[in-house]
């Protein structure tokens, strides 16, 4: 990864976070909790994948339709997030493989 890639990545991340900051406060709080959860156990490809951007897209649509964030996601936010990543290889999978001595990738 070259310096230009790093700079471009930072620009994209700042633009992404600007979109998050433009959401209503309740959406921002839920987004930050989802983000925290995904960075702990989420998809291995989270930094390079579209999951976070798609969540913001979904939230922006919810705001445009006048829905509250829990009306959009339901009251079990963790279940919503788990459903988003159910078919992805997660950091939890990598950890489990490392403690059980498995090699290679696990397909779900």
């Amino acid at each position: 990864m070259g310096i230009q890639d790093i700079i471009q990545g930072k620009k994209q991340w700042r633009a992404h976070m600007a979109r998050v900051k433009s959401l209503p406060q309740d959406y921002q709080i839920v987004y930050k909790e989802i983000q925290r959860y995904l960075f702990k156990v989420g998809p291995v490809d989270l930094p390079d994948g579209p999951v976070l951007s798609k969540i913001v897209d979904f939230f922006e649509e919810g705001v445009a339709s006048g829905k509250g964030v829990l009306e959009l996601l339901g009251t079990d936010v963790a279940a919503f997030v788990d459903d988003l990543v159910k078919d992805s290889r997660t950091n939890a999978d990598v950890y489990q493989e490392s403690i059980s001595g498995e090699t290679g990738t696990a397909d779900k």
Side-chain angles (χ1 to χ4, degrees):
M1 176 180 280
I3 189 75
Q4 291 301 324
D5 294 331
I6 293 169
I7 291 169
Q8 185 62 29
K10 281 189 166 195
K11 285 180 182 178
Q12 290 173 346
W13 183 252
R14 286 185 185 130
H16 173 79
M17 291 309 296
R19 289 177 62 202
V20 172
K21 289 179 182 177
S22 71
L23 295 168
Q25 188 67 28
D26 58 336
Y27 277 85
Q28 288 182 45
I29 291 168
V30 171
Y31 174 84
K32 288 176 185 175
E33 290 301 316
I34 290 172
Q35 180 187 42
R36 183 177 297 127
Y37 178 75
L38 286 174
F39 278 130
K40 285 182 184 175
V41 297
V44 173
D45 66 347
L46 182 66
D48 301 321
V51 173
L52 293 175
S53 290
K54 287 184 178 185
I55 290 170
V56 176
D57 293 342
F58 185 58
F59 280 10
E60 288 171 340
E61 291 171 16
V63 170
S65 67
K67 293 183 179 179
V69 68
L70 295 181
E71 183 181 357
L72 190 65
L73 302 181
T75 56
D76 191 347
V77 177
F80 171 82
V81 177
D82 287 340
D83 192 48
L84 282 177
V85 297
K86 69 182 175 195
D87 294 326
S88 302
R89 186 160 184 257
T90 66
N91 293 324
D93 295 331
V94 172
Y95 176 73
Q96 186 62 41
E97 291 166 8
S98 73
I99 62 172
S100 65
E102 294 179 25
T103 59
T105 61
D107 291 333
K108 283 189 163 184

